[in-house]
Amino acid sequence: MISVEEAKNIILNATQNFGVEEIPFIKSVGRILKEDIVADRDFPPFNRVSMDGIAIDFNVFQNGQRAFKIQAIQPAGSPQITLQNKENCLEVMTGAVLPNNTNVVIRYEDVVIKNGVASIQVNEVKELQNIHQKGKDRKSGDVLINKNKVISAAEIGVLATVGKSNIKVAKLPKVIIISTGDELVKVTANPLPHQIRRSNVFTLVSLLERLNISSETDHITDDKPILKQKIASYLKQFDVLLFSGAVSKGKFDFLPEVFTELGVEKLFHKVTQRPGKPFWFGQTENCKIFAFPGNPNSTFVNCLAYFYPWYYKSVGVEVQEETAILKEDVTFKPNLTYFLQVQLSDKFGHLLATPIQGNGSGDLASLVNADAFIQLPKTEKSLFRQGDNFPIIRYR
């Protein structure tokens, strides 16, 4: 067996470039940007009025004038007009171009308008107040969004503003998720006493959808020739194969020997961790194979702990490690890395992790009561104390 750290290093050194494609910007939320987005003009592109009110010349106000005849109105979206007489004012709307010969906007709340004259009700104004100055946010040519960013609604607005109707993003891997085992039946079936419904494959589908990755699924019975035939085909069709089950020491756990017979390079099999010790990972020239143990919690945590980082590195996304403080003591005797289910809470700005009691790696219902896994390191000690800080892997 190898350590969790060794397994992660092997996986992160086996990343894959899926290429780049161009898609409509409005369809890009959740995708990975593969080009720098540059400002095509200043932000904002003109001195922009930021309050409804009147625009005046600051020096006239400083000289004591408080009543200004309204010359005209500058609406948003209309060409810039000019204040012809500096002792007058112009009504201006939020978003409008600041009129020529004006340099202060006074909001309507501080003005009384009667018979076409605006009387200012405050005794102090500042030059350029309520004006969003041209280029204050960004200058033409500035990089607004760096490549390798995960696109969200915030980026969509920027893309629209600079006229990027189509953008370059990382292509998504072509993935199939495969479950094995004669004990598994369809979700819609009424299981016999010795059967259970398929669940792991749908958990994995959902975990990949969080990454915007669509996947196909299949279920293969515990029949070695059928396994070998189907897997041989899938190795040629897909970038990634994700398996759940058939990698341990059972008499029907055929996957490791099938992989060997098909010429798949084994990079490791078995990791010093709980849950998920029998995890198998390998590759061909064009395909990566993640074969997770069949217990639900093992499949779940292994996908988060290994597939997620592998995908992020493959597409160039940097992910910051997050930690949390144990809220109570934990005793764990085996000399293994322990992915412990926890509930997360915040107290005075500190992230706290409260352990959740479960009944082993087969207790998938316990996942509902937790928010994350906390990673307790492989060590000779068996007591992890309240107040200690450890890495976490969120799934909420």
Side-chain angles (χ1 to χ4, degrees), residues 168-228:
K168 294 176 182 177
V169 297
K171 281 186 178 179
L172 296 169
K174 191 176 180 183
V175 181
I176 187 167
I177 300 169
I178 303 163
S179 57
T180 64
D182 293 341
E183 77 279 14
L184 301 178
V185 297
K186 293 181 179 180
V187 174
T188 54
N190 187 16
L192 297 172
H194 60 280
Q195 296 175 323
I196 57 175
R197 295 185 181 93
R198 296 168 66 199
S199 62
N200 287 354
V201 66
F202 302 111
T203 297
L204 289 172
V205 166
S206 298
L207 285 171
L208 266 60
E209 283 181 350
R210 290 180 68 200
L211 301 173
N212 259 44
I213 300 173
S214 298
S215 56
E216 297 184 34
T217 64
D218 192 11
H219 178 74
I220 309 175
T221 58
D222 289 327
D223 183 302
K224 185 179 174 183
I226 295 175
L227 275 168
K228 189 173 179 179

Side-chain angles (χ1 to χ4, degrees), residues 13-86:
N13 285 325
T15 51
Q16 202 164 328
N17 186 347
F18 312 118
V20 174
E21 64 180 338
E22 195 165 284
I23 63 172
F25 83 102
I26 197 62
K27 301 289 187 182
S28 67
V29 171
R31 300 294 295 271
I32 313 302
L33 184 65
K34 281 298 172 183
E35 61 176 312
D36 290 334
I37 301 301
V38 177
D40 62 335
R41 56 182 183 162
D42 289 344
F43 273 42
F46 49 80
N47 286 333
R48 178 181 174 274
V49 175
S50 59
M51 287 278 186
D52 295 331
I54 63 168
I56 63 170
D57 180 87
F58 176 72
N59 291 324
V60 174
F61 180 91
Q62 287 295 88
N63 290 333
Q65 183 174 326
R66 295 295 181 268
F68 296 78
K69 182 181 178 182
I70 297 171
Q71 176 185 304
I73 298 177
Q74 174 82 70
S78 65
Q80 186 181 39
I81 61 176
T82 299
L83 182 65
Q84 301 295 343
N85 184 342
K86 291 191 176 183

Side-chain angles (χ1 to χ4, degrees), residues 253-268:
D253 290 340
F254 297 123
L255 284 182
E257 56 187 272
V258 166
F259 293 147
T260 299
E261 292 172 15
L262 290 173
V264 178
E265 178 188 4
K266 180 181 79 172
L267 296 178
F268 64 77

Side-chain angles (χ1 to χ4, degrees), residues 42-335:
D42 289 344
F43 273 42
F46 49 80
N47 286 333
R48 178 181 174 274
V49 175
S50 59
M51 287 278 186
D52 295 331
I54 63 168
I56 63 170
D57 180 87
F58 176 72
N59 291 324
V60 174
F61 180 91
Q62 287 295 88
N63 290 333
Q65 183 174 326
R66 295 295 181 268
F68 296 78
K69 182 181 178 182
I70 297 171
Q71 176 185 304
I73 298 177
Q74 174 82 70
S78 65
Q80 186 181 39
I81 61 176
T82 299
L83 182 65
Q84 301 295 343
N85 184 342
K86 291 191 176 183
E87 293 184 353
N88 293 344
C89 71
L90 293 165
E91 289 189 75
V92 290
M93 303 298 115
T94 301
V97 179
L98 182 72
N100 285 318
N101 294 335
T102 67
N103 48 21
V104 170
V105 172
I106 301 171
R107 60 182 189 161
Y108 278 134
E109 291 88 340
D110 296 325
V111 172
V112 171
I113 296 177
K114 188 175 182 180
N115 298 325
V117 175
S119 298
I120 299 173
Q121 304 298 297
V122 292
N123 293 319
E124 184 178 348
V125 300
K126 295 180 180 179
E127 191 170 8
L128 300 176
Q129 77 175 30
N130 298 322
I131 298 167
H132 194 176
Q133 296 176 61
K134 178 183 177 182
K136 185 175 183 181
D137 298 342
R138 298 289 188 277
K139 299 292 186 184
S140 177
D142 284 352
V143 175
L144 304 178
I145 313 173
N146 291 301
K147 68 178 180 180
N148 296 329
K149 182 90 170 178
V150 180
I151 299 169
S152 71
E155 284 73 36
I156 293 295
V158 174
L159 294 169
T161 297
V162 299
K164 288 290 291 185
S165 58
N166 291 287
I167 58 167
K168 294 176 182 177
V169 297
K171 281 186 178 179
L172 296 169
K174 191 176 180 183
V175 181
I176 187 167
I177 300 169
I178 303 163
S179 57
T180 64
D182 293 341
E183 77 279 14
L184 301 178
V185 297
K186 293 181 179 180
V187 174
T188 54
N190 187 16
L192 297 172
H194 60 280
Q195 296 175 323
I196 57 175
R197 295 185 181 93
R198 296 168 66 199
S199 62
N200 287 354
V201 66
F202 302 111
T203 297
L204 289 172
V205 166
S206 298
L207 285 171
L208 266 60
E209 283 181 350
R210 290 180 68 200
L211 301 173
N212 259 44
I213 300 173
S214 298
S215 56
E216 297 184 34
T217 64
D218 192 11
H219 178 74
I220 309 175
T221 58
D222 289 327
D223 183 302
K224 185 179 174 183
I226 295 175
L227 275 168
K228 189 173 179 179
Q229 177 188 3
K230 285 198 168 187
I231 292 171
S233 174
Y234 292 151
L235 287 170
K236 298 174 183 177
Q237 297 178 52
F238 293 91
D239 299 312
V240 183
L241 308 187
L242 292 181
F243 288 87
S244 176
V247 289
S248 192
K249 290 185 176 181
K251 290 189 176 181
F252 297 97
D253 290 340
F254 297 123
L255 284 182
E257 56 187 272
V258 166
F259 293 147
T260 299
E261 292 172 15
L262 290 173
V264 178
E265 178 188 4
K266 180 181 79 172
L267 296 178
F268 64 77
H269 186 196
K270 297 182 181 177
V271 182
T272 54
Q273 63 182 13
R274 182 179 291 178
K277 189 190 299 183
F279 175 28
W280 191 102
F281 178 71
Q283 64 182 2
T284 64
E285 186 176 349
N286 300 308
C287 185
K288 297 295 183 292
I289 299 91
F290 293 77
F292 303 136
N295 280 325
N297 292 4
S298 300
T299 294
F300 197 93
V301 72
N302 277 327
C303 183
L304 291 168
Y306 297 103
F307 179 82
Y308 269 45
W310 173 84
Y311 170 71
Y312 283 134
K313 187 175 179 185
S314 291
V315 294
V317 175
E318 292 187 14
V319 180
Q320 298 298 317
E321 182 180 80
E322 191 175 14
T323 61
I325 300 168
L326 269 180
K327 200 173 178 182
E328 56 189 61
D329 291 348
V330 173
T331 301
F332 181 68
K333 292 183 179 179
N335 192 10

